[in-house]
Amino acid sequence: MKKKFGVKNVIKKKKFSRGFTFVETIAVLSITAILAAGSSVSVSKFINMAKKSSSKNQIEQYKFALQAYFLDCGCFPTTEQGLASLWEKPILYPIPENWGGPYIESEPGRDSWGFNFEYINTDDSIVSQEIPKNVPFVVKSLGKDGMEGGSGENEDIVSWK
């Protein structure tokens, strides 16, 4: 027997192909939002870990450059001369005669959070008690919050650790 394509048969077919209900759509959107929120938290943690690692690497590069400066000049830059003395010859006293720089490839930059690195020569500065006594200089990043101290994401990154 042949199928008839009448009005009743067409209406029955449309009844089963109406799509998703409103409740089903809301459920799918809710699950998608929960998954997106969870993944954004994970991505945020990885980004912060990468920024911390990048700042540690920059501090290591400054440490090597400061050692080269010491070998050429016989002393480390003063706190006032700072990390800029690794890029261009200092104009502040004491002016090193044997400066052979630049000791870094570009001007001293900022840490991963956009704050300047801090340089302290422990011989000519009053330093906090947390700095070991045998450390000739300190290079540090103040971390995500840009303030002294902190823990977790806001922890300072220092050259002696």
Side-chain angles (χ1 to χ4, degrees):
M1 177 172 207
K2 291 184 180 180
K3 289 188 175 182
K4 295 182 181 179
F5 292 104
V7 176
K8 288 183 179 179
N9 289 339
V10 172
I11 291 174
K12 284 183 182 178
K13 286 185 179 181
K14 282 189 175 183
K15 200 175 198 181
F16 293 109
S17 62
R18 287 170 40 181
F20 296 110
T21 65
F22 179 71
V23 173
E24 290 171 333
T25 305
I26 294 299
V28 168
L29 289 174
S30 299
I31 291 170
T32 304
I34 290 169
L35 291 173
S39 65
S40 68
V41 169
S42 297
V43 168
S44 171
K45 286 181 183 178
F46 283 119
I47 289 173
N48 194 46
M49 285 174 38
K51 286 183 175 185
K52 204 174 225 184
S53 178
S54 173
S55 291
K56 284 181 183 179
N57 288 336
Q58 284 178 288
I59 288 173
E60 286 299 315
Q61 289 176 351
Y62 289 139
K63 283 172 58 176
F64 289 124
L66 286 162
Q67 294 295 337
Y69 181 100
F70 179 82
L71 291 174
D72 284 352
C73 303
C75 64
F76 291 105
T78 63
T79 302
E80 291 77 23
Q81 290 171 336
L83 294 173
S85 62
L86 300 175
W87 176 245
E88 58 188 3
K89 188 173 182 175
I91 56 173
L92 298 173
Y93 179 81
I95 299 172
E97 292 179 24
N98 297 330
W99 189 85
Y103 299 97
I104 51 179
E105 294 179 6
S106 61
E107 288 186 67
R110 298 176 178 268
D111 65 11
S112 301
W113 297 278
F115 302 109
N116 288 326
F117 284 97
E118 288 188 8
Y119 169 77
I120 301 168
N121 183 323
T122 57
D123 290 339
D124 66 6
S125 300
I126 298 173
V127 294
S128 69
Q129 294 177 352
E130 69 178 17
I131 299 172
K133 296 197 184 315
N134 61 345
V135 175
F137 61 84
V138 174
V139 180
K140 83 168 145 178
S141 164
L142 296 177
K144 184 178 180 178
D145 62 354
M147 295 170 42
E148 191 80 29
S151 62
E153 291 182 344
N154 298 325
E155 183 178 13
D156 295 348
I157 303 166
V158 293
S159 57
W160 74 84
K161 289 184 181 177

